[in-house]
Amino acid sequence: MDEKEIGLRGMKKFLEELEFAANLKEVDLISTHKEIESQQSQNIFIMRHAERVDLVFGDWVSCCFDEKGEYLQKDLNLPASLPNRHLGPQSYTLDTPITNVGKFQAKSMGKNFKAKNIAIDHVYCSPAFRCLQTCDAFLKGIGRKETVKIRIEPALFEWVHWIGDFPKLMSANELIAAGFNIDTEYKSFMSEQELRDNEESMEQHYERSYAFMKKIIATHPSGNCLLVGHATTLDTCSRNLLNGKWLTTNELLTLAGHISYCSLVQLTRNKDNNWKLVTPPCPSMSYGNNKQFKWKVLLDKY
């Protein structure tokens, strides 16, 4: 490779880095603008849950609970402890917790909100354990765990037809015993039983999401709301407010594949009472795969 080619490659790399830095600067300016705007108008933040244990560790339940049902942390990205459930450890199989990386991610989101002085006044969450843990970690990060109660809302649960067997969810009393700040006086828009009894088409998934959003808007004419749900929640809870056309099943599932853990969207209501999608206050948190280290590899002969 001659000096000229090296010089051209070096210049290309420099320009790429310059462009990347410019993009970061532009995002920062947009975020600052939206931060100011968020203090002057009502916002609804919709967030997906954090990294889930089962998609990192596979069949972790059979490996991490002994014959007596006692939990053992076998990896530092697994929870240090887990609350007891009256239905036993197997109920975690379909209602997974989040990883420690996931807790860090959700808490970091909350800290980012706090640093930018963005208030959260009302919190609604899917009854899935991974969503409740995400919500709890976010509230810890923003410093509102003790003052803002989590309202458990089955209408925010993921598309029922997609999951197959409906999980056995934790009760409010179990969650409170585990340290969650649950609003026990809140009467949910939709009951868990209604979800269980419904086969639910994709159209019905959109319908229940939109019906709940209309309820939220009517109940809270002011104040910022946080909704914590699943990958599809970001679209099903926002599309109607933006006058968008519902996606087909394949389109929504394809879109969901691009919605990473703790993805966040921000809906802002303007003076004309119309909602628009704006740049959210938090940038994404990216991280790569990290394979489990097996120390015995040092004993192997190469």
Side-chain angles (χ1 to χ4, degrees):
M1 187 182 297
D2 59 27
E3 293 182 2
K4 182 177 180 181
E5 186 176 357
I6 293 173
L8 288 174
R9 290 197 175 189
M11 179 61 70
K12 182 180 179 182
K13 185 176 186 297
F14 170 76
L15 291 174
E16 288 175 348
E17 291 176 348
L18 190 64
E19 181 181 4
F20 177 69
N23 288 339
L24 287 179
K25 186 175 181 180
E26 181 181 356
V27 169
D28 184 59
L29 289 172
I30 293 173
S31 298
T32 303
H33 171 71
K34 297 308 175 187
E35 175 187 345
I36 297 171
E37 181 182 59
S38 69
Q39 303 304 314
Q40 300 172 343
S41 55
Q42 185 182 21
N43 303 281
I44 297 177
F45 300 97
I46 310 173
M47 185 168 68
R48 186 193 177 190
H49 61 76
E51 181 180 74
R52 48 191 293 173
V53 165
D54 58 345
L55 292 191
V56 176
F57 294 98
D59 183 20
W60 66 281
V61 174
S62 62
C63 298
C64 295
F65 287 90
D66 62 21
E67 295 178 354
K68 296 180 180 179
E70 297 293 327
Y71 172 71
L72 302 171
Q73 184 190 35
K74 294 190 175 182
D75 188 282
L76 291 181
N77 196 25
L78 284 165
S81 61
L82 285 170
N84 293 324
R85 302 174 72 149
H86 74 283
L87 293 172
Q90 286 302 320
S91 56
Y92 277 117
T93 302
L94 297 179
D95 191 26
T96 184
I98 60 175
T99 64
N100 285 332
V101 168
K103 284 186 178 181
F104 173 78
Q105 187 177 21
K107 190 174 182 179
S108 297
M109 299 281 285
K111 286 183 176 180
N112 194 273
F113 269 64
K114 184 177 181 179
K116 294 183 178 179
N117 198 31
I118 301 174
I120 293 296
D121 305 290
H122 316 286
V123 175
Y124 294 84
C125 185
S126 162
F129 189 56
R130 58 191 178 277
C131 296
L132 290 160
Q133 283 188 302
T134 300
C135 193
D136 182 70
F138 177 94
L139 290 173
K140 286 179 181 177
I142 201 174
R144 299 297 304 276
K145 176 179 168 63
E146 306 301 327
T147 55
V148 177
K149 293 187 175 183
I150 301 173
R151 295 177 173 179
I152 301 176
E153 181 49 64
L156 289 173
F157 194 71
E158 62 184 324
W159 184 31
V160 176
H161 184 75
W162 192 1
I163 62 173
D165 294 334
F166 199 92
K168 297 176 175 63
L169 303 171
M170 292 183 71
S171 68
N173 289 336
E174 285 180 305
L175 291 166
I176 292 170
F180 292 84
N181 189 9
I182 304 298
D183 187 350
T184 56
E185 296 182 359
Y186 172 63
K187 185 177 180 180
S188 62
F189 174 76
M190 187 177 194
S191 71
E192 181 184 323
Q193 193 60 47
E194 286 180 276
L195 280 177
R196 290 182 180 276
D197 295 341
N198 193 353
E199 289 291 332
E200 192 172 57
S201 64
M202 181 58 72
E203 290 76 15
Q204 289 172 321
H205 182 29
Y206 272 105
E207 286 171 356
R208 68 151 150 116
S209 299
Y210 182 44
F212 173 65
M213 292 301 288
K214 289 192 291 185
K215 177 67 176 179
I216 287 290
I217 293 168
T219 303
H220 304 296
S222 62
N224 292 337
C225 299
L226 171 69
L227 313 182
V228 180
H230 307 262
T232 59
T233 308
L234 277 66
D235 188 76
T236 59
C237 284
S238 63
R239 188 163 291 273
N240 274 96
L241 295 184
L242 301 171
N243 297 315
K245 182 181 177 182
W246 291 352
L247 301 181
T248 65
T249 299
N250 288 336
E251 288 172 336
L252 184 58
L253 297 186
T254 299
L255 174 63
H258 295 280
I259 298 175
S260 55
Y261 295 124
C262 279
S263 290
L264 179 75
V265 295
Q266 176 181 345
L267 293 167
T268 297
R269 176 155 51 183
N270 59 28
K271 295 178 181 179
D272 297 325
N273 209 34
N274 295 319
W275 292 90
K276 61 178 180 178
L277 206 61
V278 301
T279 302
C282 290
S284 299
M285 179 183 288
S286 303
Y287 54 92
N289 292 329
N290 189 44
K291 294 182 179 180
Q292 186 181 54
F293 174 63
K294 298 180 180 180
W295 62 269
K296 288 186 178 181
V297 71
L298 299 180
L299 303 176
D300 292 342
K301 296 179 180 180
Y302 296 96

